[in-house]
Amino acid sequence: MHLILLIDVLHIMILFLSLQNGLNALSSKGYLSGKEAHWHLLKKFLGLVHKFKLPVFLVDTASLNLLSQDAVLYRDSQLKEPHCSFLCTHRDFTTFALFGNLWKYDAALLDAAAERGLELLEIHGKDPRLISMDDLTAKEIPLHFLFRFNSRLVHVVVLYERSGKYLWHGPLRLRSSMDRTFAPFRKLDFGRHAGAYDRPELILTTLDGLDVRIPKNYSHFLHEHSSSRFLECHCKEAKAFYQLYPEDTSTEAMDFRMRAKSLLHLASKVLSVLEIPFWLSSGTCLGWYRQCNIIPYSKDVDLGIWIKDYRHDITQAFQKAGLPLKHKFGKVEDSLELSFQGNDVKLDIFFFYDEGDTVWNGGTQAKSGKKFKYVFPRFSLCWTELMELKVRVPCETGDYVMANYGPNWNVPVKTWDWKTSPFNVHENGVWPVREWDDVIQVY
């Protein structure tokens, strides 16, 4: 009697543990559930990948966060039974990326997926690489693939190479006719916004008995993902702007844009080596936002940097790159501003300070020692492309530009006084004369 009772208790415990782990458990319809179902979905998907030679790699943030170097190097292909430690997480989906430039779309993918019992939802969108002010139309390209099996999902994000030599993916936008219950769209890691990434180096490894490619430096990839949001410039609005104010195509204007482009690329290279994030500021930001270009009469390139990212070797790095220091105003604690001289184009770097609900950068008048303060609403940073370069801009670009240039920001102003013209400028006292040698340095 006691032996029978003990056997029954053990049987109940085994069944409970099996249900907890999601292994060998069946639903009322006879489907596999839990981790085993997800593992079989991944196996089906990777078989499909192999057949169509899809250049995919794992980008699932939950899975990559579970990895350690030892886990990557350890090849567990000898294990016979289905198991899922890395690819099966607390979520019902796993995300891969696909190199769109290395794969030619094949409509047979839909039928092949169906043969494996996979439902497939394809999301297409316009190719931004083909959109310009001359042609606002563009053909559609695949942006996202969603493979579903028994309510579980593999999300494939298509990455395309842009002219700035970086990878881009489009947003996931459902059309009215699409099934909005097909996937937990709001929970997906990729697709709420367009995103931009450096091209990662990939390695082939075995995870949970399945061969997959992953970013070699997956920690860097995860860091990129946290700030990957990408904004397109507004070609339609830029075209409307140029209809009102025709583009300056003079030799002088074209020459300035080329020199400004060269300076911007060089500054980006220097700051990238220093690992200092920056964004387009002032007139350079306005040019991108208003007309998708450099403003030819601005005569300089303006960048913003958070003061917390300042490095004492920044001046030396720019001078080593062939950009001598033109002036240095302020100090690290207050109103720091650096200006370097390029090839007849000045590079201004404004350092931004955090002040509660607002942020600000400073200005100094060399002759009088007067201080000025330019106040902006708080903002986050997004990626964009300007002059074939991946650069950051404030995500809230409209608010940023409006703060600086006011409600008529869309009207060109060729006469600009940095002390009085900006809408967000405030007088901020005067530097003590005893500090002038340190806070006012002109070369």
Side-chain angles (χ1 to χ4, degrees):
M1 184 73 167
H2 292 293
L3 180 60
I4 294 174
L5 181 61
L6 180 61
I7 291 173
D8 288 341
V9 169
L10 288 173
H11 177 74
I12 291 171
M13 289 179 65
I14 292 170
L15 179 61
F16 175 77
L17 290 173
S18 176
L19 288 169
Q20 285 288 94
N21 292 325
L23 297 175
N24 302 319
L26 299 175
S27 70
S28 60
K29 294 183 179 181
Y31 296 137
L32 293 168
S33 63
K35 289 188 175 183
E36 187 179 33
H38 202 77
W39 188 90
H40 278 281
L41 164 61
L42 292 168
K43 187 176 181 181
K44 288 173 180 285
F45 167 73
L46 291 173
L48 191 66
V49 163
H50 180 73
K51 178 178 179 179
F52 283 84
K53 298 180 180 178
L54 306 181
V56 303
F57 61 99
L58 183 70
V59 294
D60 191 89
T61 58
S63 294
L64 293 180
N65 270 310
L66 290 173
L67 293 176
S68 67
Q69 193 62 31
D70 289 341
V72 174
L73 295 175
Y74 175 64
R75 300 186 63 84
D76 57 358
S77 57
Q78 299 301 315
L79 296 174
K80 304 292 185 182
E81 297 299 322
H83 59 288
C84 217
S85 302
F86 296 104
L87 299 176
C88 302
T89 63
H90 60 284
R91 307 187 298 189
D92 292 337
F93 60 88
T94 303
T95 313
F96 290 81
L98 165 66
F99 285 130
N101 298 67
L102 303 179
W103 170 69
K104 185 176 181 181
Y105 180 79
D106 189 341
L109 181 67
L110 178 62
D111 292 335
E115 290 175 2
R116 289 167 168 76
L118 301 175
E119 299 174 85
L120 173 59
L121 179 65
E122 300 180 31
I123 309 296
H124 292 242
K126 287 186 177 181
D127 188 344
R129 299 169 298 177
L130 302 179
I131 297 176
S132 67
M133 281 177 282
D134 296 325
D135 184 5
L136 297 176
T137 63
K139 71 173 185 179
E140 292 208 335
I141 53 175
L143 298 179
H144 298 264
F145 294 101
L146 299 157
F147 298 88
R148 188 171 69 174
F149 176 71
N150 190 23
S151 78
R152 293 179 174 273
L153 197 78
V154 170
H155 178 199
V156 179
V157 185
V158 188
L159 295 172
Y160 293 94
E161 186 170 300
R162 299 283 291 259
S163 58
K165 304 301 181 185
Y166 60 92
L167 298 176
W168 167 90
H169 73 76
L172 198 162
R173 298 287 181 264
L174 295 179
R175 293 176 179 168
S176 57
S177 60
M178 291 182 173
D179 181 5
R180 296 179 182 275
T181 66
F182 189 90
F185 293 104
R186 293 184 179 275
K187 296 181 180 179
L188 300 179
D189 288 329
F190 298 79
R192 183 169 297 178
H193 307 287
Y197 295 83
D198 295 332
R199 178 179 287 274
E201 181 183 353
L202 302 180
I203 58 172
L204 179 64
T205 189
T206 300
L207 297 176
D208 304 330
L210 300 172
D211 290 338
V212 294
R213 285 180 171 80
I214 65 171
K216 183 177 182 180
N217 189 345
Y218 48 83
S219 296
H220 176 70
F221 184 87
L222 288 169
H223 177 72
E224 279 194 296
H225 178 264
S226 66
S227 57
S228 62
R229 184 180 173 187
F230 184 91
L231 302 177
E232 298 288 350
C233 80
H234 303 294
C235 286
K236 183 178 179 180
E237 289 79 0
K239 183 175 183 178
F241 172 82
Y242 280 124
Q243 287 175 343
L244 288 174
Y245 309 100
E247 183 177 7
D248 185 351
T249 56
S250 66
T251 301
E252 182 182 1
M254 300 299 287
D255 182 60
F256 171 78
R257 286 197 177 105
M258 291 306 297
R259 285 184 280 113
K261 174 182 176 180
S262 177
L263 179 60
L264 183 59
H265 278 248
L266 179 57
S268 175
K269 183 177 180 180
V270 171
L271 292 171
S272 177
V273 170
L274 294 174
E275 297 184 337
I276 297 177
F278 69 93
W279 64 91
L280 305 181
S281 190
S282 302
T284 308
C285 183
L286 174 64
W288 170 81
Y289 186 67
R290 187 175 69 188
Q291 55 212 71
C292 297
N293 210 334
I294 296 285
I295 299 174
Y297 54 83
S298 62
K299 304 305 180 186
D300 57 17
V301 171
D302 303 308
L303 305 180
I305 293 176
W306 298 117
I307 193 61
K308 65 181 178 62
D309 294 320
Y310 171 78
R311 286 180 46 158
H312 289 282
D313 55 349
I314 186 173
T315 299
Q316 180 183 0
F318 273 104
Q319 293 188 143
K320 188 176 180 181
L323 299 175
L325 184 65
K326 184 177 177 68
H327 71 239
K328 176 183 178 183
F329 294 147
K331 51 187 176 181
V332 175
E333 298 80 17
D334 183 10
S335 304
L336 183 63
E337 174 189 342
L338 299 176
S339 182
F340 299 91
Q341 185 60 53
N343 181 22
D344 295 328
V345 182
K346 187 161 60 78
L347 173 67
D348 288 328
I349 298 181
F350 304 106
F351 290 87
F352 281 66
Y353 298 78
D354 195 325
E355 196 170 78
D357 294 333
T358 60
V359 297
W360 61 276
N361 71 281
T364 296
Q365 187 177 32
K367 293 181 179 179
S368 66
K370 284 186 178 180
K371 298 168 62 182
F372 298 87
K373 190 175 188 178
Y374 305 85
V375 181
F376 296 83
R378 295 186 67 84
F379 57 87
S380 52
L381 295 177
C382 288
W383 291 107
T384 190
E385 183 177 317
L386 178 65
M387 310 296 280
E388 298 182 335
L389 180 69
K390 185 181 82 161
V391 291
R392 292 180 178 91
V393 292
C395 298
E396 301 78 12
T397 325
D399 295 338
Y400 190 88
V401 167
M402 180 80 76
N404 210 178
Y405 296 97
N408 294 324
W409 58 268
N410 209 25
V411 178
V413 177
K414 296 187 178 182
T415 302
W416 186 263
D417 185 341
W418 61 271
K419 303 181 295 300
T420 58
S421 297
F423 271 66
N424 59 342
V425 65
H426 305 273
E427 292 189 3
N428 194 31
V430 182
W431 289 108
V433 175
R434 65 180 181 277
E435 294 186 24
W436 281 25
D437 288 344
D438 293 326
V439 299
I440 303 175
Q441 299 178 20
V442 180
Y443 301 91

